């Protein structure tokens, strides 16, 4: 497929801008560019075809099953987009006077009320733009809390090995020493290991719950009690809230602060790097440390993004919560859990789960025995799924399971889709035993087969170089 720049023909284009109705003012010479920008020139027909062709090459939630573990690739209702597209929300200037933006303020306040209710927190900020950004903000709350009390000896953050990779990265970014603790054989935090590292140098614990192997920690109350007893605070990575929203609340489990991924659980499409929101909630004792929008309030304190963050993501979250309501929210969570367990049991007998127990919203398959038998790796299976019209699951994560495939079907998939997916997995299991070479060479029908992933990550080509 040609790039839009390669389709460009000089002088071609479309001109729909209305006549300028104000006096034109020439830019000062010093601000003018020497040459016109090299923008593509193309007719509307060809532009429309270009994007349609691009859409066909992408696998999105709207084109097929997308069980990418830990990412909650569920269907996001269109009404949420419609509300976020209302001109009253899109046209507002962040510096408009407060009396002109009362509707936006009400959206933020209502969303805050509902999300603090859902999480059992007392206060919330929508400033962080992503989950990891929310973690950074949340751990800064913990840091400010200890600093404000003059408690300078707390230099360590404890992170279980079943945490999302962003957790230890966040603690390190905030200047803490990361203390890793292992999981018990049942996938939960090893309490003895936790007790062994707790002390008066403990600033806090970061816990992903349900964790990255899809397990709700059965000792959660004991864990938060132990950390508090040592004088530390408890941080809840709530990016997996889709499994528990409306059913249990992190605040009731003893957590002091939390982040949510509004772009996973609360209806903003994601995956393309688009605007997200890592809303951070906290209990009252951390409220004073939340980010302030210095421009609006003149107050001092941390600020992690300008103004109120990605406001339109909050509009979508609010619409989503209001349309699902008090019954719909827990029902979505329960169906997410049901779908994951259904798919896990349907696949079992071929590919085996890493933990043979009831899971939450996602589960991890352990393909290490399968690989020993067939020579076919988790990567080969994932690549062959592409040819079957399915987005691959998350691969080689979490690190504590070797040859891992992590599946999160979400609540918005039908039983028919799950049955089909299980059938595909079973057929690939058979194929690995009869024609492993075919799988080593997969995908056979994709636009890109096996790129050099290290090179793609380290030296991405992000702009047209022609
Ligand atoms: C996705 C995810 C994150 C990070 O969120 P981003 O918006 O990608 O920064 C953190 N923790 C968990 C458990 C996640 O699933």
């Amino acid at each position: 497929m040609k790039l839009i720049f390669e389709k460009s023909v000089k002088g071609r284009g479309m001109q729909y801008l209305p006549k300028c109705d104000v006096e034109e003012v020439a830019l000062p010479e010093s601000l003018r560019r020497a040459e016109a920008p090299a923008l593509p020139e193309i007719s509307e027909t060809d532009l429309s075809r270009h994007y349609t062709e691009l859409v066909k090459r992408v696998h999105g939630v709207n084109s097929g099953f997308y069980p990418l573990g830990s990412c909650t690739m569920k269907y996001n209702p269109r009404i949420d987009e419609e509300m976020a597209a209302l001109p009253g929300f899109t046209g507002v200037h962040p510096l408009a006077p407060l009396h002109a933006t009362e509707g936006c303020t009400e959206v933020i306040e209502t969303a805050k009320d509902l999300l603090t209710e859902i999480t059992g927190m007392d206060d919330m900020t929508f400033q962080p733009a992503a989950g990891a950004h929310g973690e950074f903000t949340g751990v800064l709350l913990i840091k400010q809390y200890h600093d404000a009390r003059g408690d300078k000896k707390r230099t360590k953050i404890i992170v279980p090995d079943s945490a999302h990779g962003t957790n230890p990265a966040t603690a390190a970014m905030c200047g803490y020493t990361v203390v890793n603790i292992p999981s018990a054989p049942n996938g939960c935090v090893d309490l003895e290991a936790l007790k062994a590292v707790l002390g008066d140098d403990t600033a806090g614990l970061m816990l992903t719950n349900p964790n990255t192997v899809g397990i709700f920690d059965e000792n959660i109350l004991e864990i938060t009690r132990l950390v508090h007893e040592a004088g530390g605070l408890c941080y809840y990575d709530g990016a997996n809230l889709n499994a528990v929203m409306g059913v249990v609340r992190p605040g009731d489990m003893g957590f002091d602060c939390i982040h949510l991924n509004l772009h996973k659980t609360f209806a903003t499409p994601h995956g393309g790097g688009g605007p997200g929101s890592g809303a951070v909630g906290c209990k009252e004792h951390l409220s004073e440390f939340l980010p302030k929008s210095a421009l609006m309030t003149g107050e001092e304190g941390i600020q992690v993004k300008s103004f109120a963050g990605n406001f339109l993501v909050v509009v979508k979250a609010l619409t989503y919560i209001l349309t699902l309501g008090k019954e719909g929210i827990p029902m979505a969570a329960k169906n997410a859990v049901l779908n994951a367990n259904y798919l896990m049991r349907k696949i079992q007998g071929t590919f085996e789960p890493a933990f043979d127990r009831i899971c939450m919203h996602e589960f991890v398959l352990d393909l290490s025995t399968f690989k020993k038998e067939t020579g076919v790796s988790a990567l080969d299976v994932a690549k062959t799924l592409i040819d079957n019209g399915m987005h691959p699951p998350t691969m080689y994560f979490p690190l504590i399971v070797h040859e891992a495939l992590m599946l999160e079907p979400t609540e918005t998939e039908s039983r028919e889709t799950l049955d089909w997916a299980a059938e595909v997995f079973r057929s690939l299991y058979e194929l690995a035993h009869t024609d492993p070479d075919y799988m080593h060479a997969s995908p056979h029908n994709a636009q890109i087969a096996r790129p050099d992933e290290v090179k793609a990550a380290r030296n991405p080509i992000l702009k047209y170089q022609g």
Side-chain angles (χ1 to χ4, degrees), residues 70 130-132 135 164 166-167 208 237 239-240 259 261 263-264:
S70 210
E135 290 174 38
H164 195 265
T166 47
N167 296 179
T208 305
D237 179 332
N240 291 339
H259 87 265
N261 278 36
H263 49 286
K264 285 179 183 168

Side-chain angles (χ1 to χ4, degrees), residues 210 213-216 243-244 336-338 340-341 358-363:
V213 288
I215 289 172
F216 187 99
V244 296
V337 171
L338 179 64
N341 280 284
I358 290 179
C359 64
M360 296 299 289
H361 59 306
E362 64 192 1
F363 59 94

Side-chain angles (χ1 to χ4, degrees), residues 59-220:
H59 186 99
V61 172
N62 291 27
S63 40
F65 191 41
Y66 204 139
L68 189 65
S70 210
C71 295
T72 315
M73 306 306 284
K74 62 185 185 181
Y75 175 77
N76 299 297
R78 285 298 162 263
I79 189 175
D80 306 320
E81 293 298 324
E82 280 169 31
M83 294 305 110
L86 289 175
F89 293 141
T90 57
V92 70
H93 193 283
L95 287 176
L98 281 180
H99 69 79
T101 56
E102 278 176 8
C104 299
T105 309
E106 190 168 336
V107 166
I108 291 175
E109 290 305 320
T110 313
K112 193 189 280 188
D113 285 349
L114 293 172
L115 285 166
T116 49
E117 167 79 26
I118 289 171
T119 54
M121 293 287 147
D122 297 318
D123 206 350
M124 185 166 281
T125 175
F126 295 116
Q127 230 181 45
H133 199 193
E135 290 174 38
F136 180 69
T137 309
V139 173
L140 285 185
L141 301 186
I142 293 178
K143 195 174 188 125
Q144 292 176 90
Y145 173 84
H146 292 308
D147 283 352
R149 292 153 50 98
D151 194 348
K152 302 275 187 199
K153 61 189 179 301
R154 299 189 179 273
T155 55
K156 293 181 180 163
I157 294 267
I158 301 166
V159 184
D161 64 3
S162 61
H164 195 265
T166 47
N167 296 179
T170 295
M173 284 282 289
C174 291
Y176 285 110
T177 304
V178 179
V179 181
N180 256 296
I181 53 168
S183 302
N186 65 0
C188 297
V189 169
D190 183 333
L191 286 181
E192 292 312 312
L194 175 63
K195 284 181 199 157
V197 295
L198 280 170
D200 60 8
D201 57 356
T202 302
L205 164 91
M206 291 185 85
L207 195 82
T208 305
N209 192 49
N211 64 21
T212 55
V213 288
I215 289 172
F216 187 99
D217 204 301
E218 57 198 30
N219 302 313
I220 199 86

Side-chain angles (χ1 to χ4, degrees), residues 310-325:
N310 285 328
F311 169 67
L312 296 177
V313 178
V314 182
V315 176
K316 292 181 216 181
L318 178 60
T319 310
Y320 181 77
I321 296 169
L322 292 177
T323 45
L324 264 69

Side-chain angles (χ1 to χ4, degrees), residues 374-376 380 384 431-432 434-442 444 450:
T374 61
V376 172
D380 295 332
T384 316
L431 186 61
T434 53
D435 192 358
D437 285 341
Y438 181 86
M439 295 183 72
H440 295 316
S442 290
H444 299 272
R450 300 212 178 201

